[in-house]
Amino acid sequence: MTPALEPLRRIAAYAVANDGEGRVLLVRASSKSGTPGIWSLPGGAVDHGEDPNHTVVRETAAETGLSVAVTGLRDVLADMRSLPHRGVTIHTDRLIYAVSVRGGNLIDRVGHPTDLARWYTLEQAEKLRLRPFTAAALGLSAASADLRPEEVPDFPSFYAYQGPDGLHRAQRFAAYAIATDPYENLLLTRISPGYPGAGCWHLPGGGTDYGEQPGPALIRELVEETGQAGRLVELLGVASHRDAASLGPEGYPIDWHGVRAFYRVVVDDPTEVVIHDVGGSTSEARWMPLKEVADLAADQLTEVTADALRTAGLI
């Protein structure tokens, strides 16, 4: 029987960099990693409180010796893989960024988790052993597969742990919808008393479950939270927000770091809004005309909602 593996979860950011010859930058996993000899996009885990835009620049420089600048967000993916040698199964939410190279020189890193960085054409990359998320991001067929768990392990949607300063920390990946109907209305939810941002209007959505892709997770959340069946249209962006001492129903301060993907969603056949999670973080939900949304005061919207609506050009 396969031994039980401890479930872990993390958020990571990766770079898609091209040179003047149309080649893509890849790094090779060394014998110190769980997948030796496998190639992937440069990048790595988002530190607590770190903006993923900074993560991808920092990690690319460390793994390749190149300085890059983020030029856009390409995709958000999620996957699970089992690492029996470490005794863990990891769910990773991966943010894929397009970057441009500002300078530097490729370096080899003997003794590190990645040891080589090289430029490859897509035809050459297709013949390499690639991490599945890298192949998906580049539109290639995966030449190797991660070891996946036989079933999705149990993992809490909210997990706080004690940080080095004694304060509890929580990092959470979530997906939210800028959901509109055919009648120029926007779907908004109001945060319940006792939760951070209480009384403010917020976008529908929430934390994704272990093993879930963000898009399907958002459509599920929309039904569960408001009773609306939506159609995913496009990924609009990702926001990172840290509240160093958030106070919620747990009753003690938490150093909270949320990374949130925002999607445009269309509800073709809007129905009466129904809140299924009575007594939870949502006290009210309703369709609001876009002209009323534009007139809301700044303190009536959560910070992340205001940022997303500005990105979508709605306020």
Side-chain angles (χ1 to χ4, degrees), residues 13-260:
Y14 298 87
V16 176
N18 297 102
D19 66 4
E21 300 176 31
R23 298 178 299 179
V24 66
L25 182 62
L26 297 175
V27 295
R28 187 182 70 177
S30 73
S31 58
K32 288 185 172 292
S33 76
T35 52
I38 306 299
W39 292 82
S40 71
L41 297 172
V46 176
D47 289 340
H48 185 83
E50 185 179 34
D51 190 304
N53 284 273
H54 301 160
T55 303
V56 72
V57 172
R58 172 179 58 79
E59 285 283 342
T60 301
E63 292 187 340
T64 71
L66 300 181
S67 172
V68 301
V70 172
T71 58
L73 178 69
R74 289 173 58 110
D75 205 354
V76 180
L77 309 167
D79 58 65
M80 286 188 301
R81 62 172 176 150
S82 295
L83 300 175
H85 70 289
R86 289 176 51 189
V88 299
T89 288
I90 301 178
H91 168 112
T92 306
D93 296 291
R94 305 183 192 274
L95 314 179
I96 312 297
Y97 290 95
V99 304
S100 61
V101 177
R102 298 186 292 187
N105 296 291
L106 290 184
I107 58 172
D108 294 342
R109 305 194 326 146
V110 177
H112 291 268
T114 60
D115 58 4
L116 293 180
R118 296 290 187 270
W119 293 101
Y120 288 107
T121 66
L122 290 181
E123 290 76 14
Q124 291 170 331
E126 182 86 57
K127 299 175 183 178
L128 298 173
R129 298 172 64 204
L130 299 174
R131 291 291 308 282
F133 83 88
T134 297
L138 299 177
L140 303 176
S141 58
S144 67
D146 290 339
L147 179 61
R148 291 178 54 85
E150 296 175 0
E151 55 186 49
V152 178
D154 290 329
F155 193 84
S157 60
F158 170 78
Y159 177 72
Y161 63 95
Q162 197 165 34
D165 54 5
L167 186 66
H168 280 78
R169 290 181 169 185
Q171 188 181 58
R172 190 187 195 201
F173 179 85
Y176 287 92
I178 296 180
T180 54
D181 67 7
Y183 313 105
E184 297 191 338
N185 296 309
L186 177 72
L187 185 61
L188 291 174
T189 63
R190 196 189 291 270
I191 298 177
S192 299
Y195 288 84
C200 290
W201 290 104
H202 196 43
L203 296 175
T208 61
D209 289 341
Y210 199 102
E212 273 192 313
Q213 292 290 338
L218 176 56
I219 297 304
R220 171 188 58 76
E221 281 277 343
L222 200 63
V223 173
E224 293 178 357
E225 192 172 10
T226 68
Q228 307 302 299
R231 172 169 53 86
L232 207 64
V233 176
E234 63 177 326
L235 173 66
L236 291 175
V238 168
S240 175
H241 178 70
R242 181 181 186 180
D243 186 338
S246 177
L247 190 62
E250 299 79 21
Y252 54 89
I254 294 174
D255 182 351
W256 180 270
H257 179 207
V259 177
R260 303 169 173 94

